[in-house]
Amino acid sequence: MNKFFLYISIFFISTLAIHAQSDTCKNSLYGKIIDEHDRKPLEFASVYIVELAKGAVSDNKGRYKIEDICNGIYTVKISHIGCESLQSKIIVKGKTNQNFYPEHHAEILKDIEITAQKLVEQTTQTKNDVSEEKLNQSKGQSLGESLKSITGVNSLNTGNSISKPIIHGMHSNRILILNNGVRQEGQQWGVEHAPEIDPFTANKLSVIKGANSVRYGSDAIAGVVIVESKPLRDSAGINGEVNLVGMTNGKAGTASAYLEGNFNRLKAFSWRVQGTLKQTGTVSAPNYILVNTGLRESNFSYTLGWKKKKYGAEIFYSQFNTTLGIFGASHIGNITDLNTAFKSPVPLETGPFTYKIGRPYQNIEHELFKAKMYIVTGVKGKLSVTYARQYNLRNEYDKHKPLNDSLAALNKPELQFELTTHSADIIWEHNQVKHFTGSIGFSGLTQGNTYEGRALIPNFRNYNGGIFWIERWRRNKFELEAGIRYDYKRLQVYKYQYVSYATYQLVTPVHTFENVSGNVGAIYKPGSNINLAFNLGTAWRAPSVSELYSYGLHHGAAAIEYGDNTLKSERTYNGIFTLRYTPSKRITIEVSPYLHYVNNFIYRQPATVPVVTIRGAFPAFYYKQTDATLKGCDFYLNYKFTNSIELTGKASILRAWNNTENNWLIMMPSDRYESEITYRFKNYKKLNSSYLSASVLYVTKQWRVPANSDFVAPPSEYYTFNIHGSCSIKIKNQNIELGVSVFNLLNKTYRDYLDRFRYFTDAMGRNITFRIKVPFNINLKSK
């Protein structure tokens, strides 16, 4: 504890000590504001630099200029009547030319900033963004952890290294992840299969809550997670960024960097390359080390873009590679030891710190290739076409090698899945016509899965097709939105069925599903300080192959799973109401109650007793179906006491009911409350954007569960304290951003109900994270 305060003192004292004489600061930012669609200059557009509180207005040719600026990185906001507001980070070095391209007609509902927490796109569906500040604080963590700063979003964890987002109590196949405009397709059916995405590729993370199947396709019955990269550079020059992250728990280290550019001789062409390396050793709970919890990760991506006035194209490729250990004490040899592990406050297996990853472990590779082009269709709108190919390879290794020495020498995985997906989307967006804007589109997908080793899930072919139409109407204080979509799915399974002793027969059952999704919503703005939004939607989801056909031991989950091939499609009816009220410049209040009624809700029901196999004793789960009601409310409050001090409060409340059995629904998040106070220091010479914040998270005990429905009773309530600090220092002409975060400051011992390994171990203890970000810029002078 004393060392921690020493680290913090050294950090802030050193930053305050680094000052030098101020520069002349005679640089400038200039360029044009141009309509994204028809490429016409926009007059009277506002360009505003947040950090400097200064700006300019564009002239009749769309030109703007802001002078007397120091070299550095600034947040620039662009707004224009009838346009979607833009916000981006700009590097100023010397006389910097930067054009901006707001959409003047297609997006009728603009972004409104909620300070220090999120940006809400004012559509009828609730959209929340992870603020840049929170995104920086989560550097080096998983995508699921990065999203937890959004109210109403939790995570389903399998130990420290696997985290999946939960929206209003629903996860996995009920949440669609849109990665760089492409629907992420991996083995997401597994509760311990985290999204194969490098968070360092994201410039923006957003969550749309509620049924969103109309625009994004079936399965998005809980919501959509949108992972967006920053736009490619459109002015001559080369810039980049280096991020270094170190963590005390697990002695983890992460290095990530990107480099991007544009050239005067070929202004239409832009490019970016990016890569990340990460390694973590065995992590620690407050009182012991969690054996075999190390992780190695290596990722890279590149983007190529070609942008002209009337058309453009983009190619994106990314590869995600990770090897992660599965907590060794979760694999137990017999029923007696398993019951002992359930009751023990300490895992039955502990060990020293190491970077070595042993059995059981997972090895995962995910590739994404995307090709997109668009063309402006006269004054009517824009047509875009996207093709994507994804390849997912997952190897899972058991704790023990085969008893046969020759087989053991091969060190083959006990489970191997290869999933290849091809998808295409064609979308036409039309410009405003008599207060209407909208889009119509078609999407198609074909998917094949093969396995080697034991048949946890069978081989299959999956075919999907859908068509949608969305229209938006806006006039004065009212905005209306409506959409409809039709989807068809065909799943063919290839599996061997037991006939008699040593005799199996290949069977190829076919499952077909089709249905319609729809939504209608409205926004009413009775005044400048109040906003009311309401959305009603209905969506559906076909059961996944794992829910239909799982049979056997799932190593990563340390559980045995049994599917049911008679399961039907889920159908949800969803309503979300959002009230945003700003009675003054210092107060922002947002309240968002919601209701989901789900027919044929699929869930995993724990068996009454564990199951013993030749590989050990494991908890068993059966896939079942019921009618369910999930209702709750998300709260958000931000109050600025002064320009330097602000308080933020958040709360998420959920009640999930099993209508068929007239009881509580199992494995649902408990209530969460969080408050944070932040102090922002004034800029002083070469020290900028400094802040220090402290927060407390309180999670209640989940007592709303059926009696005797799980192997272990839900854990007790808990609270954790966290602190964050950051500043930007200019050394000569180079900006360096430094940050520190402390998670679980008091090293609290607790177990979370949504952690799959809570049966065996406490959650991770105190973790101090140090961050360094070094942006750089190289301007290329035209000859």
Side-chain angles (χ1 to χ4, degrees), residues 249-281:
N249 201 324
K251 299 179 182 178
T254 304
S256 183
Y258 75 82
L259 188 69
E260 61 182 2
N262 180 280
F263 304 106
N264 268 321
R265 291 186 176 181
L266 200 61
K267 290 186 177 181
F269 176 70
S270 301
W271 56 270
R272 178 188 299 128
V273 293
Q274 179 270 342
T276 300
L277 294 173
K278 179 179 180 179
Q279 182 163 16
T280 302

Side-chain angles (χ1 to χ4, degrees), residues 161-213:
S161 57
I162 301 174
S163 180
K164 304 189 69 169
I166 300 176
I167 301 175
H168 294 165
M170 294 180 279
H171 57 83
S172 299
N173 284 335
R174 297 186 184 94
I175 296 177
L176 190 150
I177 298 179
L178 208 64
N179 182 12
N180 272 280
V182 176
R183 172 176 172 150
Q184 179 83 0
E185 291 291 341
Q187 304 285 357
Q188 64 261 34
W189 50 266
V191 293
E192 88 302 344
H193 297 170
E196 300 93 348
I197 297 175
D198 180 3
F200 280 99
T201 64
N203 180 61
K204 184 179 179 182
L205 293 177
S206 307
V207 172
I208 302 178
K209 302 173 185 175
N212 291 278
S213 293

Side-chain angles (χ1 to χ4, degrees), residues 8 11-12 15-16 116 131-139 643-646 676-683 687-695 722-728 737-743 769 771:
I8 298 299
F11 175 77
F12 281 101
T15 57
L16 291 170
S131 70
E132 182 182 4
E133 198 169 272
K134 293 299 180 184
L135 194 58
N136 286 332
Q137 291 173 8
S138 65
K139 293 290 187 184
N643 292 334
S644 299
I645 303 174
E646 64 183 77
E676 181 177 30
I677 189 165
T678 303
Y679 182 82
R680 303 186 185 279
F681 299 90
K682 293 182 178 180
N683 293 344
L687 187 66
N688 301 293
S689 304
S690 303
Y691 73 87
L692 181 65
S693 69
S695 66
N722 311 292
I723 63 172
H724 306 279
S726 179
C727 69
S728 177
E737 296 184 32
L738 304 175
V740 62
S741 296
V742 186
F743 302 94
T769 301
R771 304 181 301 274

Side-chain angles (χ1 to χ4, degrees), residues 63-76:
R63 298 175 301 192
Y64 76 92
K65 187 174 184 179
I66 306 174
E67 298 182 306
D68 299 329
I69 307 174
C70 301
N71 288 339
I73 303 175
Y74 298 100
T75 305
V76 180

